[in-house]
Amino acid sequence: MSIEVTGVSRLYGAHRALDNVSLTVQDGELLALLGPSGSGKTTLLRVMAGLEQADAGSVNFFGQDARQQSLRQRNVGFVFQHYALFRHMTVFENVAFGLRVKPRRDRPPRREITRRVQELLGLVQLDGLAQRHPSQLSGGQRQRVALARALAIRPRVLLLDEPFGALDAQVRRELRQWLRKLHDDIGLTSVFVTHDQEEALELADRVAVVHRGRIEQIGTPQEVYHRPQTPFVVSFLGSVNLFHGRIEQGRPVLHDNDGRPTTRIFVRPHDFEVSSQHGPDSVPAILELANTAGPLARLQLRDTKGRAIAVELSLERFRVMRLARGDQLYLTPTQAQVFAT
Amino acid sequence: MQGLATNHGSAGRVLDPGGGFVRRGLIGLALCFVALFLVLPLVAVFHGAFEKGWRLYLAAIAQPEALAAVKLTLLATAIALPLNLLFGLAAGWAITKFRFRGKNLLVALIDLPFSVSPVIAGLIFVLLFGMQGWFGPWLADHDLRVVFAVPGIVLATVFVTLPMVARALIPLMQDQGHDDELAALSLGASGLQTFWRVTLPNIKWGLLHGVILASARAMGEFGAVSVLSGHIAGRTNTLPLHVEALYNEYQFAAAFAVASLLALFALVTLALKSWVEYRTEGKAS
């Protein structure tokens, strides 16, 4: 166990940013804290780093109570959302900072510092940019400088706050794969914060879904995606349609107009069987919009009560069915998540 | 902007309803004001100073009273500036990096010297340190003079310039947040290392800007200093007070000569300020 968070709460005035959160980070894993903005995920990361104090609860850092440790003793590599690079220093000086401020007895000799910095710049593929200033770098390059700077102090754990948040989509995807490889190569324990579910599911070993200062669910990407435990987790991990209905003989039935008690049924857009023929338990709906610019055809339908339903199906199927706006279709869910109301 | 204007020519015209006429009119008006209220007086000062020739000009400046005034002005400024720097840094740091009760009150109080008339500021100190004031008898017992002496002038100068550095720093430090400091700390830097290596370099241009403004104000201050000085020629007259004294004695040429010196100080600080602003803008882009 690298970091053990137990019953941590953090208040901002009357707002509960963290509400009795417990979490264990396993050695060597890459853990994602996933949640919408304002969910408390960044606060949780900052409490783990020691940049913020918890109002209640404890943080245990490699077997030691973190409250007894200064930031320096904790030895955490923290990558800030906006990088927080020292703007008046060159890339080299930024990366060397953590080594140069060490007390004299721990400080490596000048040549060793130079060697280490060059090595790190090579690791993050920024050789040749050592003498640039942060303002002369692109977003992706700044990101990697921030990473190299955090790695320079040989941290016991690497914490990243929205590491790809400020980058455009293309760079994001590249850096994501690169970070995963880096994590595996140097065998570090890492925690990163993100609001992008795709990023969390693709990159992390485990995902903790954070909502309103609490952890809703924690598990592997497969677990949180396929076996979500709360309605929030379902709706946050990709788009989803909400129905009220019942489970009859193990199958979801999406009718709620016969006055009998119902449950909430979540169906993802790609979990529908689309047909032009009425079937048992199917939901009638009219096709309003179809967007075929992409790997899937994304349809927008409206049911008899005027509620919008999002459906995805393969382009092939879409073409075979010769669908057009205004068509009457029948939807049968093939898979659904059910929560009692 | 240019692309917009060419693509939507009509929209561009809406922004400039009178065509070049309005633009030229506004610029002309602004220039007229600047000429009338800034350039003309400045020219008049130098014209008045040199009206009776170089020799009289130099004689007026070389007067022992004038030199004493220059010295006193520079002394008051030299004492006020470091105090300002210290207070500005402390206040800026406290307000932007910490959360505490009464913060808004502190921010409001910092502006007090700007909102209070300088004459009242001077009177406050007379009330505190004058012979009839709260601390007057105690000071008299210990043979210390504040009012009508150099300490009073320094006190007044410090008071009226107090918000300058803090005002320059607070928005800057608020804008920068404290992630840089947290980054330095998490990398193992001590508090002092963080201040010298990260905070100070980040704010140095803002700091310099504030110091220059404060020195301009310190040198030119009249009201508060006037109340506290006692106008003892050669001893408690600062430059602005000396100018007034000369003027009241109908020594117009000498008054203008000393005034031109003051104007020169102002022009130098203005140039410095522009240079700092130029540098900061260069850094920002």
Side-chain angles (χ1 to χ4, degrees), chain A residues 53 98 118 170 175-176 190 192 225-226 233 265 279 316:
Chain A
Q53 298 304 312
Q118 295 295 355
Q170 183 76 29
L175 263 182
R176 208 189 279 170
S190 316
F192 74 100
Y225 189 79
H226 292 297
V233 175
I265 298 177
E316 242 176 279

Side-chain angles (χ1 to χ4, degrees), chain B residues 155-217:
Chain B
L155 215 58
T157 309
V158 170
F159 180 84
V160 295
T161 55
L162 200 61
M164 289 289 188
V165 175
R167 275 283 132 206
L169 285 186
I170 289 169
L172 181 70
M173 290 171 95
Q174 248 159 6
D175 194 43
Q176 290 179 348
H178 47 272
D179 274 1
D180 280 18
E181 278 80 15
L182 286 178
L185 290 172
S186 80
L187 289 166
S190 66
L192 216 58
Q193 282 173 324
T194 303
F195 177 75
W196 284 112
R197 292 178 182 229
V198 175
T199 308
L200 206 56
N202 272 348
I203 60 170
K204 65 179 173 202
W205 293 108
L207 201 64
L208 199 57
H209 191 206
V211 165
I212 289 168
L213 281 178
S215 63
R217 178 81 202 261

Side-chain angles (χ1 to χ4, degrees), chain B:
Chain B
M1 257 340 265
Q2 221 160 19
L4 268 179
T6 45
N7 288 338
H8 310 281
S10 57
R13 232 166 278 139
V14 175
L15 287 174
D16 191 5
F21 176 71
V22 168
R23 188 176 49 143
R24 259 175 271 153
L26 284 175
I27 294 174
L29 197 67
L31 283 180
C32 277
F33 260 85
V34 168
L36 193 65
F37 289 101
L38 294 175
V39 180
L40 202 63
L42 203 62
V43 170
V45 166
F46 281 97
H47 179 261
F50 288 108
E51 206 173 24
K52 302 245 167 90
W54 271 102
R55 206 166 296 168
L56 221 100
Y57 180 81
L58 289 178
I61 289 178
Q63 265 183 356
E65 288 87 0
L67 288 179
V70 172
K71 226 185 268 173
L72 183 59
T73 297
L74 292 180
L75 176 76
T77 308
I79 297 177
L81 280 192
L83 289 176
N84 244 297
L85 201 70
L86 218 66
F87 171 77
L89 262 175
W93 188 284
I95 285 165
T96 55
K97 313 270 174 187
F98 299 118
R99 266 182 277 203
F100 57 91
R101 203 181 277 257
K103 185 153 123 177
N104 290 335
L105 190 69
L106 181 62
V107 174
L109 279 181
I110 285 176
D111 278 340
L112 194 68
F114 279 176
S115 49
V116 162
S117 157
V119 177
I120 296 178
L123 284 174
I124 292 168
F125 288 115
V126 172
L127 215 65
L128 285 176
F129 300 116
M131 285 310 283
Q132 267 70 46
W134 292 4
F135 305 112
W138 185 87
L139 287 170
D141 286 349
H142 291 77
D143 210 18
L144 295 168
R145 296 210 61 175
V146 173
V147 173
F148 305 147
V150 175
I153 290 165
V154 172
L155 215 58
T157 309
V158 170
F159 180 84
V160 295
T161 55
L162 200 61
M164 289 289 188
V165 175
R167 275 283 132 206
L169 285 186
I170 289 169
L172 181 70
M173 290 171 95
Q174 248 159 6
D175 194 43
Q176 290 179 348
H178 47 272
D179 274 1
D180 280 18
E181 278 80 15
L182 286 178
L185 290 172
S186 80
L187 289 166
S190 66
L192 216 58
Q193 282 173 324
T194 303
F195 177 75
W196 284 112
R197 292 178 182 229
V198 175
T199 308
L200 206 56
N202 272 348
I203 60 170
K204 65 179 173 202
W205 293 108
L207 201 64
L208 199 57
H209 191 206
V211 165
I212 289 168
L213 281 178
S215 63
R217 178 81 202 261
M219 288 191 281
E221 172 55 26
F222 181 83
V225 170
S226 171
V227 175
L228 282 167
S229 122
H231 305 276
I232 308 166
R235 288 200 24 221
T236 63
N237 263 0
T238 61
L239 270 180
L241 298 182
H242 188 56
V243 172
E244 192 211 18
L246 288 172
Y247 187 82
N248 286 344
E249 289 160 18
Y250 303 103
Q251 303 186 39
F252 296 130
F256 277 119
V258 177
S260 76
L261 212 59
L262 205 54
L264 213 62
F265 282 162
L267 287 175
V268 168
T269 44
L270 188 70
L272 271 174
K273 176 179 158 287
S274 309
W275 177 70
V276 167
E277 274 166 8
Y278 171 77
R279 283 296 309 249
T280 20
E281 268 157 39
K283 288 264 166 196
S285 66

